[in-house]
C-alpha cells in the first residue's frame, strides 16, 4: 500500500495544494493501491514540503518525482502519446506550474479578502496564541517570493493578460477533446486541471476566477477531470 503524505482539503478540493491533488490524480490513474495521510506541517518532510509518497519506507518528495517513481513501477501516464505530444505535454505542464499556479498563490495569499478565507481554511489547526504571528510571517514570506518571482510586481491587468495567453494555449490544445491529449486523462491533465480547479474555487471573485469561469470549455474540462481522476474519500 502506497501512502501519500498530503495537506488536507479545502475549497471543494481534496487538498489545499494543487501539487498534492496532482499526485492524487497520478495515483488514481496508476491503478496502484494507495491511501492519504494528512499533515499540516511539512517541515520534517524531505524538501520541507508536500506531497511526499511513502513506498516501503522510502520517502519520495515532489509531485514530479512521484510521477517518475510511479512510472518506474510500471505506471504509464502517456499511453498512446507520440514523442511530439509528450514534448507538448511537458511544455504545458511547465507553463501551468510557472504561470497559472503563481496567479493562484497570489490571489489566495495577497488579496486581503481572499487571504482571510485562506488563513481560516489552511491554519485552523494551529493554536490560537501563535496563529496570528505565524500566519503573518508566512504571508510576508509568500509576498516576498511572489515579488521576487515577478507575479506580485505586475498590475492586475498585466496578470490577467498573461493568464489569457495561458488559457488560450490550453484551449487550442484541448479543442473538442474530452482531455488535453484525447479521450483519457494523461499526466498533463493531472497537473493542470487541479490548478484551474482551485482558481475556479477561489473564495472571492478575483479577476482570475471570473476570467476562467467565463472561459468557454475550460470549466467543463475541469469537471470531467474531477470525475475521472479525483479520489473519492
Amino acid at each position: 500500500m502506497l501512502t501519500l503524505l498530503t495537506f488536507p482539503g479545502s475549497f471543494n478540493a481534496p487538498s489545499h495544494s494543487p501539487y498534492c491533488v496532482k499526485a492524487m490524480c497520478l495515483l488514481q490513474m496508476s491503478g496502484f493501491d494507495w491511501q492519504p495521510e494528512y499533515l499540516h506541517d511539512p517541515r520534517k518532510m524531505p524538501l520541507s514540503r508536500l506531497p511526499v509518497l511513502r513506498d516501503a519506507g522510502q520517502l519520495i518528495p515532489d509531485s514530479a518525482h512521484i510521477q517518475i517513481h510511479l512510472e518506474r513501477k510500471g505506471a504509464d501516464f502517456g499511453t498512446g502519446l507520440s514523442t511530439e505530444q509528450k514534448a507538448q505535454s511537458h511544455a504545458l505542464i511547465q507553463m501551468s506550474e510557472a504561470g497559472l499556479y503563481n496567479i493562484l498563490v497570489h490571489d489566495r495569499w495577497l488579496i486581503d479578502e481572499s487571504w482571510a478565507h485562506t488563513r481560516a481554511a489552511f491554519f485552523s489547526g494551529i493554536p490560537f496564541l501563535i496563529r496570528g504571528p505565524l500566519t503573518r510571517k508566512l504571508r510576508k514570506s509568500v509576498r516576498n517570493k511572489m515579488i521576487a518571482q515577478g507575479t506580485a510586481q505586475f498590475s492586475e491587468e498585466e496578470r490577467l493578460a498573461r493568464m489569457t495567453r495561458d488559457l488560450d494555449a490550453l484551449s487550442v490544445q484541448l479543442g473538442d477533446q474530452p482531455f488535453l491529449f484525447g479521450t483519457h486523462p494523461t499526466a498533463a491533465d493531472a497537473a493542470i486541471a487541479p490548478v484551474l480547479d482551485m482558481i475556479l474555487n477561489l473564495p472571492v471573485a478575483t479577476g482570475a476566477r471570473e476570467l476562467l469561469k467565463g472561459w468557454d470549455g475550460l470549466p467543463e474540462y475541469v469537471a470531467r477531470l474531477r470525475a475521472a481522476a479525483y479520489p473519492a474519500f
Side-chain angles (χ1 to χ4, degrees):
M1 174 73 75
L2 303 173
T3 298
L4 185 69
L5 308 176
T6 174
F7 290 114
S10 60
F11 303 128
N12 200 33
S15 174
H16 301 326
S17 164
Y19 293 109
C20 291
V21 178
K22 171 186 173 182
M24 291 177 178
C25 290
L26 292 171
L27 285 161
Q28 288 291 101
M29 291 158 58
S30 75
F32 298 137
D33 291 332
W34 71 281
Q35 63 186 0
E37 182 177 317
Y38 297 107
L39 300 177
H40 292 278
D41 186 350
R43 288 178 294 177
K44 295 183 179 180
M45 292 291 102
L47 307 182
S48 298
R49 63 174 184 256
L50 297 173
V52 171
L53 183 67
R54 183 192 295 132
D55 184 1
Q58 182 183 4
L59 296 178
I60 300 96
D62 188 84
S63 61
H65 293 164
I66 290 170
Q67 178 179 336
I68 292 169
H69 181 78
L70 295 174
E71 288 171 341
R72 287 173 177 167
K73 290 173 69 71
D76 185 355
F77 302 114
T79 303
L81 269 61
S82 66
T83 300
E84 180 181 10
Q85 287 174 318
K86 289 178 180 179
Q88 293 168 342
S89 171
H90 177 75
L92 289 172
I93 291 169
Q94 294 301 304
M95 178 194 76
S96 175
E97 295 184 347
L100 295 169
Y101 170 76
N102 285 312
I103 288 175
L104 169 67
V105 172
H106 175 276
D107 285 11
R108 277 178 164 180
W109 288 75
L110 302 188
I111 295 176
D112 289 341
E113 185 182 359
S114 182
W115 165 242
H117 294 276
T118 299
R119 181 176 54 196
F122 288 15
F123 303 107
S124 60
I126 296 176
F128 177 77
L129 290 178
I130 64 171
R131 190 183 310 160
L134 177 62
T135 55
R136 284 192 293 271
K137 180 180 178 180
L138 289 171
R139 191 186 191 200
K140 182 178 179 181
S141 175
V142 170
R143 186 184 300 276
N144 289 339
K145 290 177 182 177
M146 287 288 98
I147 291 172
Q149 183 272 338
T151 300
Q153 293 181 309
F154 305 139
S155 68
E156 175 77 345
E157 181 180 3
E158 290 167 335
R159 279 191 295 274
L160 294 180
R162 288 169 176 255
M163 181 179 176
T164 296
R165 288 175 176 262
D166 290 347
L167 299 183
D168 273 332
L170 293 176
S171 289
V172 169
Q173 178 59 46
L174 183 63
D176 59 0
Q177 305 172 110
F179 301 104
L180 288 170
F181 289 92
T183 59
H184 59 274
T186 63
D189 301 293
I192 294 167
V195 179
L196 298 177
D197 197 5
M198 292 185 187
I199 293 174
L200 287 169
N201 282 284
L202 283 164
V204 298
T206 70
R209 190 188 81 172
E210 297 310 295
L211 175 63
L212 181 53
K213 283 180 68 175
W215 200 278
D216 184 37
L218 289 181
E220 294 80 6
Y221 157 69
V222 171
R224 287 194 296 272
L225 191 280
R226 285 184 68 101
Y230 273 32
F233 298 138

